[in-house]
Coordinates of all heavy atoms in Angstrom, one line a residue:
S420 N 1.4 17.6 -2.4 CA 0.2 18.1 -3.1 C -1.0 17.3 -2.9 O -1.7 16.9 -3.8 CB 0.6 18.1 -4.7 OG 1.7 18.9 -4.9
L421 N -1.3 17.1 -1.6 CA -2.4 16.1 -1.3 C -3.8 16.8 -1.7 O -3.9 18.1 -1.6 CB -2.3 15.9 0.2 CG -1.3 14.8 0.6 CD1 -0.9 14.9 2.0 CD2 -1.8 13.4 0.2
K422 N -4.6 15.9 -2.0 CA -6.0 16.3 -2.5 C -7.0 15.6 -1.4 O -6.7 14.6 -1.0 CB -6.3 15.8 -3.9 CG -5.3 16.3 -4.9 CD -5.5 15.7 -6.2 CE -4.5 16.2 -7.3 NZ -4.7 15.6 -8.6
P423 N -8.2 16.1 -1.4 CA -9.2 15.5 -0.6 C -9.4 14.1 -0.9 O -9.7 13.2 -0.1 CB -10.4 16.4 -0.7 CG -9.9 17.8 -1.0 CD -8.7 17.5 -1.9
E424 N -9.3 13.7 -2.3 CA -9.6 12.3 -2.6 C -8.5 11.4 -2.3 O -8.6 10.2 -2.5 CB -9.8 12.3 -4.2 CG -8.7 13.0 -5.0 CD -9.1 14.4 -5.5 OE1 -9.7 15.2 -4.5 OE2 -8.9 14.8 -6.6
D425 N -7.4 11.9 -1.7 CA -6.4 11.0 -1.1 C -6.8 10.6 0.3 O -6.0 9.7 0.8 CB -5.0 11.8 -1.0 CG -4.4 12.1 -2.4 OD1 -4.5 11.2 -3.2 OD2 -4.0 13.3 -2.6
T426 N -7.8 11.0 0.8 CA -8.2 10.6 2.2 C -8.6 9.2 2.1 O -9.3 8.7 1.3 CB -9.5 11.4 2.6 OG1 -9.2 12.8 2.7 CG2 -10.0 10.9 3.9
A427 N -8.0 8.4 3.1 CA -8.1 7.0 3.2 C -7.3 6.4 4.3 O -6.5 7.2 4.9 CB -7.7 6.3 1.8
V428 N -7.4 5.2 4.6 CA -6.5 4.4 5.5 C -5.4 3.9 4.6 O -5.7 3.3 3.6 CB -7.2 3.3 6.2 CG1 -6.2 2.6 7.1 CG2 -8.3 3.9 7.1
Y429 N -4.2 4.2 4.9 CA -3.0 3.7 4.2 C -2.4 2.6 4.9 O -2.1 2.6 6.1 CB -2.1 4.8 4.0 CG -2.5 5.8 3.0 CD1 -3.6 6.8 3.2 CD2 -1.9 5.9 1.7 CE1 -4.0 7.7 2.3 CE2 -2.3 6.9 0.7 CZ -3.4 7.7 1.0 OH -3.8 8.6 0.1
Y430 N -2.1 1.5 4.1 CA -1.5 0.3 4.6 C -0.2 0.0 3.8 O -0.1 0.2 2.7 CB -2.4 -1.0 4.3 CG -3.8 -0.9 4.9 CD1 -4.9 -0.3 4.3 CD2 -4.1 -1.4 6.1 CE1 -6.1 -0.1 4.8 CE2 -5.3 -1.3 6.8 CZ -6.3 -0.8 6.1 OH -7.6 -0.7 6.7
C431 N 0.8 -0.5 4.6 CA 1.9 -1.0 3.9 C 1.9 -2.5 3.9 O 1.2 -3.1 4.8 CB 3.3 -0.5 4.6 SG 3.6 -1.2 6.1
A432 N 2.5 -3.2 3.0 CA 2.4 -4.6 2.8 C 3.7 -5.1 2.2 O 4.5 -4.4 1.5 CB 1.3 -5.0 1.9
A433 N 4.1 -6.3 2.6 CA 5.3 -7.0 2.1 C 5.0 -8.2 1.2 O 4.2 -8.9 1.6 CB 6.2 -7.4 3.3
D434 N 5.8 -8.4 0.2 CA 5.6 -9.4 -0.8 C 6.9 -10.0 -1.0 O 7.9 -9.5 -1.5 CB 5.1 -8.7 -2.1 CG 4.9 -9.6 -3.3 OD1 4.9 -10.8 -3.1 OD2 4.7 -9.2 -4.4
R435 N 6.9 -11.3 -0.6 CA 8.2 -12.1 -0.8 C 8.3 -12.4 -2.2 O 7.5 -13.2 -2.7 CB 8.1 -13.4 0.1 CG 9.3 -14.3 0.1 CD 10.5 -13.6 0.7 NE 11.6 -14.5 0.9 CZ 12.6 -14.6 0.0 NH1 12.5 -13.9 -1.2 NH2 13.5 -15.5 0.1
V436 N 9.4 -11.9 -2.8 CA 9.6 -12.1 -4.3 C 11.0 -12.7 -4.4 O 11.7 -12.7 -3.5 CB 9.4 -10.8 -5.0 CG1 8.0 -10.2 -4.9 CG2 10.4 -9.7 -4.5
T437 N 11.2 -13.2 -5.7 CA 12.4 -13.9 -6.0 C 13.4 -13.0 -6.9 O 14.4 -13.5 -7.3 CB 12.2 -15.2 -6.6 OG1 11.4 -15.0 -7.8 CG2 11.4 -16.1 -5.7
S438 N 12.9 -11.9 -7.3 CA 13.7 -11.0 -8.1 C 13.6 -9.6 -7.6 O 12.5 -9.1 -7.2 CB 13.2 -11.1 -9.6 OG 13.8 -10.1 -10.3
S439 N 14.8 -8.9 -7.8 CA 14.8 -7.5 -7.3 C 13.9 -6.6 -8.2 O 13.5 -5.5 -7.8 CB 16.3 -7.0 -7.2 OG 16.8 -7.1 -8.6
R440 N 13.6 -7.1 -9.4 CA 12.8 -6.3 -10.4 C 11.3 -6.5 -10.2 O 10.6 -5.8 -10.8 CB 13.3 -6.7 -11.7 CG 14.6 -6.3 -12.1 CD 15.0 -6.5 -13.5 NE 16.4 -6.3 -13.9 CZ 16.9 -6.4 -15.0 NH1 16.2 -6.8 -16.1 NH2 18.2 -6.1 -15.3
T441 N 10.9 -7.5 -9.4 CA 9.5 -7.8 -9.3 C 8.8 -6.8 -8.4 O 9.1 -6.6 -7.2 CB 9.3 -9.2 -8.7 OG1 9.9 -10.2 -9.6 CG2 7.9 -9.6 -8.7
V442 N 7.8 -6.2 -9.0 CA 6.9 -5.3 -8.2 C 5.5 -5.6 -8.7 O 5.1 -5.5 -9.9 CB 7.2 -3.8 -8.5 CG1 6.2 -3.0 -7.9 CG2 8.6 -3.5 -8.1
R443 N 4.6 -6.1 -7.6 CA 3.3 -6.5 -8.0 C 2.3 -5.5 -7.4 O 2.6 -4.8 -6.5 CB 3.1 -8.0 -7.4 CG 4.0 -8.9 -8.2 CD 3.6 -10.4 -7.9 NE 4.1 -10.8 -6.6 CZ 4.4 -12.1 -6.3 NH1 4.2 -13.0 -7.3 NH2 4.7 -12.4 -5.2
T444 N 1.1 -5.5 -8.0 CA 0.1 -4.5 -7.7 C -1.1 -5.1 -7.0 O -1.9 -4.2 -6.5 CB -0.2 -3.6 -8.9 OG1 -0.8 -4.5 -9.9 CG2 1.0 -3.0 -9.5
G445 N -1.4 -6.3 -7.1 CA -2.6 -6.9 -6.6 C -2.4 -7.1 -5.2 O -1.4 -7.7 -4.7
P446 N -3.4 -6.8 -4.2 CA -3.3 -6.9 -2.8 C -3.1 -8.5 -2.5 O -2.4 -8.8 -1.5 CB -4.7 -6.5 -2.3 CG -5.1 -5.5 -3.3 CD -4.7 -6.0 -4.7
S447 N -3.6 -9.3 -3.3 CA -3.6 -10.8 -3.0 C -2.1 -11.3 -3.1 O -1.8 -12.4 -2.6 CB -4.5 -11.5 -3.9 OG -4.1 -11.5 -5.2
S448 N -1.2 -10.6 -3.7 CA 0.1 -11.0 -3.9 C 1.0 -10.8 -2.7 O 2.1 -11.3 -2.5 CB 0.8 -10.3 -5.1 OG 0.1 -10.5 -6.3
Y449 N 0.4 -9.9 -1.8 CA 1.2 -9.5 -0.6 C 0.9 -10.5 0.6 O -0.2 -10.8 0.9 CB 0.9 -8.1 -0.3 CG 1.6 -7.1 -1.3 CD1 1.0 -7.0 -2.6 CD2 2.7 -6.4 -1.0 CE1 1.7 -6.2 -3.5 CE2 3.3 -5.5 -1.8 CZ 2.8 -5.5 -3.2 OH 3.4 -4.6 -4.1
D450 N 2.0 -10.8 1.3 CA 2.0 -11.8 2.3 C 1.7 -11.2 3.7 O 1.1 -11.8 4.5 CB 3.3 -12.5 2.4 CG 3.6 -13.1 1.0 OD1 2.9 -14.0 0.6 OD2 4.7 -12.7 0.4
Y451 N 2.2 -10.0 3.9 CA 2.1 -9.4 5.3 C 1.5 -7.9 5.2 O 1.9 -7.2 4.3 CB 3.4 -9.4 6.0 CG 4.0 -10.8 6.2 CD1 5.1 -11.2 5.3 CD2 3.6 -11.6 7.2 CE1 5.6 -12.5 5.4 CE2 4.1 -12.8 7.2 CZ 5.1 -13.3 6.5 OH 5.6 -14.5 6.6
W452 N 0.7 -7.6 6.2 CA 0.1 -6.2 6.1 C 0.2 -5.6 7.5 O 0.2 -6.2 8.6 CB -1.4 -6.4 5.8 CG -1.6 -6.8 4.4 CD1 -1.6 -8.1 3.9 CD2 -2.0 -6.0 3.3 NE1 -1.9 -8.2 2.6 CE2 -2.1 -6.9 2.2 CE3 -2.1 -4.7 3.1 CZ2 -2.5 -6.3 0.9 CZ3 -2.5 -4.2 1.9 CH2 -2.6 -5.0 0.8
G453 N 0.4 -4.3 7.5 CA 0.2 -3.5 8.7 C -1.2 -3.2 9.0 O -2.1 -3.6 8.3
Q454 N -1.4 -2.5 10.1 CA -2.7 -2.2 10.6 C -3.4 -1.0 9.9 O -4.6 -0.8 10.0 CB -2.8 -2.0 12.1 CG -2.3 -3.3 12.9 CD -3.4 -4.3 12.7 OE1 -4.6 -4.2 12.8 NE2 -3.0 -5.6 12.3
G455 N -2.5 -0.2 9.3 CA -3.1 1.0 8.6 C -2.9 2.2 9.4 O -2.9 2.2 10.6
T456 N -2.8 3.4 8.6 CA -2.8 4.7 9.3 C -3.7 5.6 8.5 O -3.7 5.6 7.3 CB -1.3 5.2 9.4 OG1 -1.4 6.5 10.1 CG2 -0.8 5.4 8.1
Q457 N -4.5 6.4 9.2 CA -5.5 7.3 8.6 C -4.9 8.6 8.1 O -4.1 9.2 8.9 CB -6.6 7.7 9.6 CG -7.6 8.6 9.0 CD -8.5 8.0 8.0 OE1 -9.0 6.9 8.1 NE2 -8.8 8.7 6.9
V458 N -5.1 8.9 6.9 CA -4.7 10.1 6.3 C -6.0 10.9 5.9 O -6.8 10.3 5.1 CB -3.8 10.0 5.1 CG1 -3.5 11.4 4.5 CG2 -2.4 9.4 5.5
T459 N -6.3 12.1 6.4 CA -7.3 12.9 6.1 C -7.0 14.2 5.5 O -6.2 14.9 6.1 CB -8.3 13.1 7.3 OG1 -8.7 11.8 7.8 CG2 -9.6 13.9 6.9
V460 N -7.4 14.5 4.3 CA -7.1 15.7 3.6 C -8.3 16.6 3.6 O -9.3 16.3 3.0 CB -6.5 15.5 2.2 CG1 -6.0 16.8 1.6 CG2 -5.4 14.4 2.2
S461 N -8.1 17.8 4.3 CA -9.3 18.7 4.2 C -9.2 19.7 3.1 O -8.1 20.1 2.7 CB -9.3 19.4 5.6 OG -8.2 20.2 5.7
S462 N -10.4 20.1 2.6 CA -10.4 21.0 1.4 C -10.4 22.4 1.9 O -10.6 22.8 3.1 CB -11.6 20.7 0.6 OG -12.7 20.8 1.4

């Protein structure tokens, strides 16, 4: 159900954590990043 406002470069990132339950939301918490892939949603 993509929307035009979803248009962006999408990046995946890896966060070395010590618990299986830990999920962090701040970019600064992530250690490794991909180069990104463009997603463009046309109206």
Side-chain angles (χ1 to χ4, degrees):
S420 302
L421 282 161
K422 305 175 181 180
E424 50 264 44
D425 294 318
T426 295
V428 178
Y429 284 73
Y430 301 89
C431 70
D434 181 11
R435 183 65 171 92
V436 296
T437 57
S438 167
S439 63
R440 297 184 179 181
T441 300
V442 173
R443 297 191 281 207
T444 61
S447 61
S448 298
Y449 287 74
D450 305 295
Y451 302 102
W452 292 82
Q454 293 299 308
T456 184
Q457 176 72 45
V458 174
T459 303
V460 185
S461 62
S462 57

